[in-house]
């Protein structure tokens, strides 16, 4: 029989799961606020962020003036890091991170932080809408044109880089044998269709800083002759190529697979992916519709996928930062948050290649694990942070005296209603038992014991998963 | 359109992480000898902060107050000001203190700590020194102006948080007129407030917007010897000039030419000179990008810290026509 208490507990766990996947997690108090709205209403709220400048954008600009005219990805870090750490529209940032990894442009070649920020903004604006609109925008993004050498793609001498990556990495994909739903001739046709699409030359940033990049189409340099692409023949240009790609089931399947991988599980479930592919096609390729289907599905809500997905460095760093809620306004430390993800293997705005990052278990090696544990355990011990105080209050409100199991449960709940395996929980309880006495709210060591348990929990393998 | 009441003179600066050049200059001041001192802010994480001493004919002299937290170093410096002995005062909004240097860069002392008690700071931003060598600091997260002795001893303060008269919202720049009257760039209230030397509210210039007399986050204010008021209209990328009663005189949007240092860079880097020529953004190159502070001298020179273009744009006031 399901009791009221059990149902509440289930609701809390489910809401926490949604917020970890559709965002970067939430504090226990935030979860309570979301619960008042109800699960499906929260899904809709997440799916429809009010796009625009954040209220404290002026403060980020003021305290990090070099990020306004960001000459490099490193100079731009404080801008995106602040939004990742504090935006009240978490899915807008999460989907931007998704597209940034999928349509990767990096500072190693595009040494232009201002343009990198423009591209992230493009992902915010179009990332939840129709895939076709997003692809059209990214195909006119001057940073992307530069990154994939399209300024060197000329009528009569096309450069195939953009056409190839568009098909292989951005929109249709290849299988393990290297085969895709397209041919080498399709790559060549796409490259010809994108000739004349380029980024306008900008002054070098070395003496006056960067200038905004601009897209430029040169009709004289565009090959407008007949081409055959995906079996259709015509005088196709880049827009036509994008439209034909997006009408192909392979593109729908590719996007569904990547969304499933990012939001649901590192292990593909082909039946679910096929279902999402249908949803993509039935909704004109709208990403929001696919995500709605994901978040409201029984599969997503099931125990089968909870705490099974490895946190990316951004999930770990910004999730923990949000949990401890220590930044009221930008400060020097908030400008350095992106350094922490870099130390863990995810250099924002500077992915290792056009392939983006390899996600899942590949995020963690011994060095990255130490960085993760050190970062998280330091953050949850910050007594001056508002979120840590809230976490302590949560534990304190669980009772005047708690046995070891109840104390561990209260700490797990305070850390944003997270869960731990039976084995991990047993180890945590054993540690709590070492004190030899129950945890007491009024005891002199109550706070010290609680912070120590917080640190222990975020050091477990379980905290590395979301 | 060329300015009517000012003539563009010169530009000094080039983007540079250290040495000759600047990195996001947020303040500029002249000492009693006419030497220009420029405060490069950068991002704290990029560690390019410093104060550069440069002559007005573009000769770089030396730099000091580089990045760090040790005495003689700064992390998030916000302003510079000279006392009567040409000693340089530098507030730091990360360390919440004021560092003092001789004009040659020798560190003298520093004082201040985080807090809201008298003499403590919570992100000091603008700083100016009055005719008696007292230090006035815009203690911006405490929403107050503090008046302190040269050694940091508390004298008085005024202001509170809000948007009414005498209230501040993330205020930034501060300037004194010839009567030691106090002018504050009330940054997030999009206005400049004027006070008597005792901190009594006098008047306000501006409101939110993009028209004449309107502001989008004014960062710096400066009153010249004649009482003319210059306001760095930060997010509108312009400097507005007012008479002493708040009447709008002129708006400057930037007229920069290539500085001597930039020209030398272009001359020895033909490939990059070619990029510049092909881009053809010569009009855009002239414009201010987040101008942050203004300085003037008795000869009518007007120096504007053009923060995101790493340079100082220099104008002179056009003399009024002689009466006929």
């Amino acid at each position: 029989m399901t009791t009221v208490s059990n149902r509440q507990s289930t609701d809390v766990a489910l809401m926490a799961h949604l917020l970890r996947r559709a965002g970067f997690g939430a504090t226990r108090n935030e979860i309570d606020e979301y619960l008042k709205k109800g699960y499906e209403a929260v899904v809709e709220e997440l799916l429809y962020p009010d796009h625009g400048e954040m209220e404290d954008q002026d403060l980020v600009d003021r305290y990090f003036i070099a990020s306004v005219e960001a000459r490099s990805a490193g100079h731009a870090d404080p801008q995106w890091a602040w939004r990742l750490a504090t935006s009240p529209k978490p899915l807008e940032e999460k989907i931007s991170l998704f597209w940034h990894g999928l349509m990767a442009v990096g500072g190693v070649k595009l040494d232009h932080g201002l343009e990198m920020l423009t591209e992230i903004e493009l992902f915010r604006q179009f990332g939840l809408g129709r895939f076709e609109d997003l692809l059209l925008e990214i195909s006119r993004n001057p940073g992307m044109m530069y990154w994939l050498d399209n300024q060197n793609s000329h009528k009569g001498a096309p450069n195939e880089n953009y056409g190839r990556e568009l098909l292989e990495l951005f929109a249709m994909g290849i299988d393990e044998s290297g085969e895709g739903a397209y041919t080498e001739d399709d790559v060549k046709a796409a490259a010809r269709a994108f000739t004349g699409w380029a980024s306008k030359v900008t002054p070098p940033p070395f003496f006056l800083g960067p200038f905004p990049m601009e897209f430029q189409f040169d009709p004289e340099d565009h090959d407008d002759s007949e081409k055959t692409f995906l079996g259709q023949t015509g005088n196709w240009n880049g827009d036509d190529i994008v439209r034909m790609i997006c009408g192909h089931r392979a593109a729908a399947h590719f996007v569904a697979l990547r969304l499933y991988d990012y939001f649901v599980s590192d292990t593909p479930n082909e039946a679910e992916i096929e279902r999402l592919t249908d949803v993509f096609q039935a909704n004109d390729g709208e990403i929001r519709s696919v995500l709605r289907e994901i978040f409201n599905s029984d599969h997503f809500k099931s125990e089968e996928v909870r705490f099974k997905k490895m946190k990316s460095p951004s999930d770990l760093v910004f999730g923990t930062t949000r949990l401890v809620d220590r930044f009221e306004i930008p400060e020097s430390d908030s400008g350095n948050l992106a350094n922490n993800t870099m130390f863990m293997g995810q250099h924002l705005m500077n992915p290792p290649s056009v392939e983006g990052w390899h996600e899942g278990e590949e995020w963690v090696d011994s060095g990255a694990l130490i960085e993760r544990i050190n970062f998280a355990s330091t953050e949850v011990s910050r007594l001056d942070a508002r979120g840590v105080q809230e976490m302590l209050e949560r534990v304190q409100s669980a009772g005047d005296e708690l046995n070891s199991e109840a104390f561990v449960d209260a700490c797990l709940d305070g850390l944003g209603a997270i869960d731990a395996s039976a084995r991990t929980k047993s180890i945590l309880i054993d540690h709590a038992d070492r004190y030899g006495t129950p945890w007491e709210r009024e005891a002199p060591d109550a706070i010290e014991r609680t912070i120590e348990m917080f640190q222990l929990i975020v050091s477990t393998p379980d905290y590395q998963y979301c | 359109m060329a300015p009517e009441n000012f003539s563009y003179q010169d530009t000094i600066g080039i983007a540079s992480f250290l040495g000759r050049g600047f990195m996001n200059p947020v303040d500029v001041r002249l000492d009693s000898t006419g030497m220009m001192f420029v405060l490069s802010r950068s991002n704290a994480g990029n560690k390019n902060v410093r104060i550069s001493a440069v002559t007005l004919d573009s000769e770089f002299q030396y730099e000091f107050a580089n990045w760090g937290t040790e005495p003689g170093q700064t992390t998030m410096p916000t302003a510079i000001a000279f006392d009567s002995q040409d000693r340089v005062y530098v507030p730091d909004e990360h360390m919440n203190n004021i560092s003092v240097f001789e004009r040659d860069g020798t560190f003298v002392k520093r004082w201040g700590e985080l807090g809201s008690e008298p003499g403590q700071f919570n992100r000091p931003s603008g700083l100016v020194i009055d005719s008696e060598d007292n230090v006035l600091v815009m203690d911006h997260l405490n929403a107050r102006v503090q008046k302190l002795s040269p050694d940091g001893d508390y004298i008085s303060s005024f202001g509170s948080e809000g948007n009414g008269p005498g209230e501040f919202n993330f205020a930034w720049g501060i300037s004194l007129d010839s009567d030691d009257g106090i002018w504050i760039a009330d940054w997030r209230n999009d206005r400049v407030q004027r006070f008597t030397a005792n901190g009594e509210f006098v008047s306000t210039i501006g409101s939110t917007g993009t028209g004449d007399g309107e502001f989008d986050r004014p960062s710096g204010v400066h009153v010249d010897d004649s009482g003319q008021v210059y306001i760095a209209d930060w997010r509108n990328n312009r400097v507005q000039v007012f008479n002493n009663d708040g009447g709008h005189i002129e708006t400057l949007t930037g007229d920069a030419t290539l500085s001597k240092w930039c020209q030398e860079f272009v001359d020895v880097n033909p490939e990059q000179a070619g990029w510049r020529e092909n881009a053809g953004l010569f009009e855009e190159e002239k414009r201010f990008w987040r101008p942050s502070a203004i300085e003037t001298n008795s000869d009518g020179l007007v120096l504007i810290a053009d923060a995101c273009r790493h340079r100082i744009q220099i104008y002179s006031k056009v003399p009024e026509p002689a009466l006929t």
Side-chain angles (χ1 to χ4, degrees):
Chain A
M1 192 177 78
T2 304
T3 64
V4 171
S5 167
N6 279 343
R7 193 168 63 243
Q8 284 173 344
S9 169
T10 303
D11 290 348
V12 169
L14 192 56
M15 187 64 78
H17 171 60
L18 171 66
L19 295 167
R20 282 193 302 274
R21 296 298 180 85
F24 300 89
T27 68
R28 190 60 182 78
N29 288 357
E30 286 171 341
I31 291 168
D32 278 349
E33 289 303 309
Y34 279 116
L35 280 170
K36 291 175 188 169
K37 300 173 184 173
Y39 184 90
E40 290 189 6
V42 171
V43 169
E44 291 306 308
E45 183 181 308
L46 291 165
L47 290 172
Y48 287 94
D50 182 18
H51 179 73
E53 187 176 277
M54 276 177 66
E55 277 185 18
D56 44 16
Q57 181 63 52
D58 57 345
L59 295 178
V60 183
D61 291 358
R62 172 170 170 169
Y63 297 126
F64 300 102
I65 184 66
S67 71
V68 174
E69 55 87 34
R71 58 173 41 219
S72 70
H75 286 83
D77 278 345
Q79 293 279 338
W80 198 13
W82 181 252
R83 291 187 74 131
L84 288 162
T86 67
S87 169
K89 301 171 283 186
L91 182 55
E92 190 178 56
E93 298 309 317
K94 191 93 175 199
I95 199 74
S96 301
L97 197 53
F98 169 74
W99 292 120
H100 175 52
L102 186 68
M103 299 176 180
V105 170
V108 66
K109 178 176 175 183
L110 179 68
D111 194 15
H112 198 297
L114 193 59
E115 176 56 28
M116 295 297 312
L117 291 173
T118 302
E119 190 176 292
I120 302 304
E121 184 61 23
L122 186 158
F123 293 144
R124 285 191 194 106
Q125 190 175 356
F126 295 95
L128 291 167
R130 292 172 67 240
F131 183 57
E132 184 177 318
D133 293 340
L134 176 64
L135 272 190
L136 288 171
E137 289 295 327
I138 202 70
S139 297
R140 285 187 170 79
N141 177 258
M144 178 62 82
M145 293 294 97
Y146 178 80
W147 167 252
L148 289 180
D149 304 317
N150 223 58
Q151 74 276 19
N152 299 327
S153 188
H154 305 290
K155 183 179 182 178
N159 183 304
E160 293 173 5
N161 213 1
Y162 185 67
R164 184 177 302 283
E165 306 306 8
L166 176 67
L167 289 164
E168 181 181 331
L169 296 177
F170 300 171
M172 294 186 88
I174 53 173
D175 61 24
E176 287 175 358
S177 65
E179 294 296 314
Y182 58 90
T183 65
E184 193 63 19
D185 285 342
D186 290 323
V187 170
K188 290 180 169 40
R192 286 169 54 207
F194 279 104
T195 50
W197 296 43
S199 61
K200 196 175 169 189
V201 176
T202 59
F206 308 114
F207 55 97
L208 292 175
F211 287 77
M213 292 179 74
E214 286 181 47
F215 173 74
Q216 177 174 266
F217 173 65
D218 180 359
E220 297 297 315
D221 201 20
H222 174 63
D223 178 351
D224 60 357
S225 63
E226 197 168 75
K227 312 162 188 80
T228 299
F229 181 73
L230 296 177
Q232 300 181 61
T233 302
N235 295 337
W236 310 129
N237 63 22
D239 288 347
D240 299 320
I241 297 297
V242 166
R243 194 171 57 253
M244 285 186 274
I245 288 172
C246 291
H248 201 288
R249 184 159 176 92
H253 185 271
F254 174 80
V255 174
L257 168 66
R258 297 303 297 258
L259 288 171
Y260 180 90
D261 184 48
Y262 187 77
F263 286 100
V264 186
S265 172
D266 295 329
T267 307
N269 177 318
E270 196 50 45
E272 279 298 306
I273 292 162
E274 282 298 320
R275 201 171 62 79
L276 297 174
T277 303
D278 292 341
V279 172
F280 180 98
Q281 290 199 298
N283 289 277
D284 201 18
E286 191 196 41
I287 303 304
R288 182 180 287 111
S289 296
V290 181
L291 290 179
R292 179 183 291 112
E293 190 68 23
I294 286 176
F295 297 144
N296 288 329
S297 70
D298 290 340
H299 179 66
F300 177 77
K301 294 175 181 175
S302 70
E303 298 279 351
E304 185 187 340
V305 299
R306 280 190 222 171
F307 296 105
K308 300 292 193 305
K309 186 161 177 50
M310 177 63 69
K311 287 178 180 172
S312 71
S314 291
D315 286 325
L316 192 289
V317 167
F318 298 109
T320 307
T321 303
R322 283 169 175 265
L323 183 69
V324 305
D325 190 22
R326 74 179 167 106
F327 295 119
E328 205 166 341
I329 61 172
E331 55 185 75
S332 59
D333 271 6
S334 68
N336 295 329
L337 282 171
N339 286 347
N340 296 106
T341 67
M342 180 178 68
F343 297 149
M344 297 172 196
Q346 189 175 32
H347 191 177
L348 292 174
M349 296 183 279
N350 202 3
S353 75
V354 69
E355 279 190 277
W357 293 280
H358 291 182
E359 308 220 355
E361 303 282 340
E362 287 189 53
W363 280 124
V364 178
D365 57 26
S366 54
L369 184 60
I370 290 169
E371 290 289 345
R372 284 170 172 245
I373 291 171
N374 285 345
F375 176 82
S377 60
T378 300
E379 290 299 306
V380 298
S381 63
R382 294 182 186 277
L383 280 171
D384 57 340
R386 292 171 300 182
V388 175
Q389 284 300 317
E390 278 181 23
M391 285 150 52
L392 288 169
E393 286 165 15
R394 279 274 167 183
V395 176
Q396 288 161 350
S397 67
D400 293 339
E401 183 179 302
L402 302 173
N403 65 30
S404 293
E405 184 173 2
F407 173 59
V408 168
D409 282 342
C411 289
L412 288 167
D413 186 59
L415 281 162
I418 60 173
D419 204 355
S421 67
R423 181 170 178 273
T424 297
K425 207 165 157 184
S426 166
I427 293 168
L428 295 171
I429 291 169
D430 282 351
H431 182 84
D433 280 342
R434 286 181 194 170
Y435 282 92
T437 56
W439 177 91
E440 290 180 46
R441 183 167 58 194
E442 302 300 332
D445 64 352
I447 289 176
E448 183 186 330
R449 283 176 71 169
T450 312
I451 293 291
E452 186 182 87
M453 184 54 68
F454 290 159
Q455 290 180 304
L456 203 56
I457 290 170
V458 300
S459 303
T460 64
D462 305 59
Y463 190 72
Q464 305 305 321
Y465 292 86
C466 61
Chain B
M1 196 169 68
E4 293 179 9
N5 302 287
F6 299 87
S7 65
Y8 168 75
Q9 296 295 308
D10 196 8
T11 290
I12 299 175
I14 186 170
S16 164
F17 295 135
L18 78 169
R20 191 182 79 159
F22 314 127
M23 188 52 59
N24 307 111
V26 294
D27 205 1
V28 54
R29 296 292 151 212
L30 296 167
D31 73 0
S32 65
T33 72
M35 179 80 79
M36 181 175 77
F37 289 73
V38 177
L39 175 62
S40 288
R41 164 71 177 236
S42 185
N43 288 342
N46 301 118
K47 305 180 181 178
N48 306 128
V49 299
R50 62 197 188 267
I51 295 172
S52 308
V54 183
T55 66
L56 286 178
D57 54 359
S58 298
E59 292 300 322
F60 170 67
Q61 303 297 301
Y62 52 89
E63 68 181 32
F64 58 98
N66 298 79
W67 186 88
T69 57
E70 297 298 314
Q73 298 177 323
T74 59
T75 304
M76 293 175 82
T78 49
I80 46 180
F82 289 97
D83 69 8
S84 62
Q85 306 303 307
D86 268 346
R87 291 198 294 189
V88 190
Y89 286 65
V90 187
D92 188 308
E93 62 183 343
H94 173 65
M95 293 195 284
N96 289 292
N97 60 21
I98 314 291
S99 291
V100 184
F101 300 85
E102 299 292 353
R103 73 180 291 281
D104 66 0
T106 305
F107 174 71
V108 178
K109 60 187 173 182
R110 66 180 185 182
W111 36 262
E113 60 183 6
L114 175 64
S116 56
E117 296 298 316
Q120 296 180 320
F121 304 113
N122 196 348
R123 300 203 191 186
S125 50
L127 183 148
V128 71
I129 294 172
D130 72 11
S131 56
E132 296 174 349
D133 270 351
N134 292 314
V135 182
L136 285 93
V137 181
M138 187 63 242
D139 182 14
H140 86 268
L141 290 192
N142 284 327
R144 65 185 178 185
V145 175
Q146 290 202 71
K147 187 173 183 177
L148 306 144
S149 76
D151 288 320
D153 298 323
Y154 175 80
I155 298 172
S156 62
S157 69
F158 65 91
S160 58
E161 189 177 339
N163 56 16
E167 296 175 337
F168 302 119
N169 190 0
F170 286 79
W172 187 340
I174 181 170
S175 183
L176 298 179
D177 59 28
S178 54
D179 298 324
D180 275 347
I182 303 163
W183 300 67
I184 303 289
D186 190 6
W187 187 71
R188 236 182 181 184
N189 281 329
D190 291 330
R191 66 184 181 182
V192 165
Q193 294 194 70
R194 180 182 185 178
F195 300 88
T196 66
N198 295 323
E200 291 151 355
F201 174 78
V202 177
S203 60
T204 289
I205 299 176
S207 57
T208 302
T210 57
D212 289 348
E214 296 177 333
F215 303 114
D216 189 355
R217 305 294 184 266
S219 57
V221 56
H222 179 79
V223 186
D224 72 11
D225 292 348
S226 72
Q228 217 158 266
V229 184
Y230 302 75
I231 298 173
D233 190 5
W234 195 63
R235 285 216 300 192
N236 281 331
N237 297 313
R238 62 188 186 177
V239 170
Q240 295 193 66
V241 187
F242 299 84
N243 65 29
N244 202 245
D245 296 324
H248 180 264
I249 296 174
E250 175 126 35
T251 296
L252 303 172
T253 56
D255 296 272
T257 49
L258 277 192
S259 70
K260 177 184 171 189
W261 301 342
C262 283
Q263 190 61 57
E264 288 172 2
F265 176 89
V266 168
D267 289 345
V268 298
N269 291 281
E271 185 185 8
Q272 284 146 26
W275 297 5
R276 176 174 177 258
E277 288 296 321
N278 290 335
L281 300 178
F282 304 118
E283 283 302 311
E284 289 85 343
E285 284 185 3
K286 294 178 181 177
R287 305 298 169 224
F288 295 128
W289 194 4
R290 302 291 169 99
S292 297
I294 304 104
E295 169 71 312
T296 59
N297 71 4
S298 55
D299 295 331
L301 282 186
V302 179
L303 290 71
I304 298 168
D306 191 3
C308 286
R309 288 276 173 241
H310 315 287
R311 63 193 177 189
I312 308 299
Q313 293 202 40
I314 303 175
Y315 292 82
S316 72
K317 290 170 76 171
V318 174
E320 290 180 25
L323 292 173
T324 54

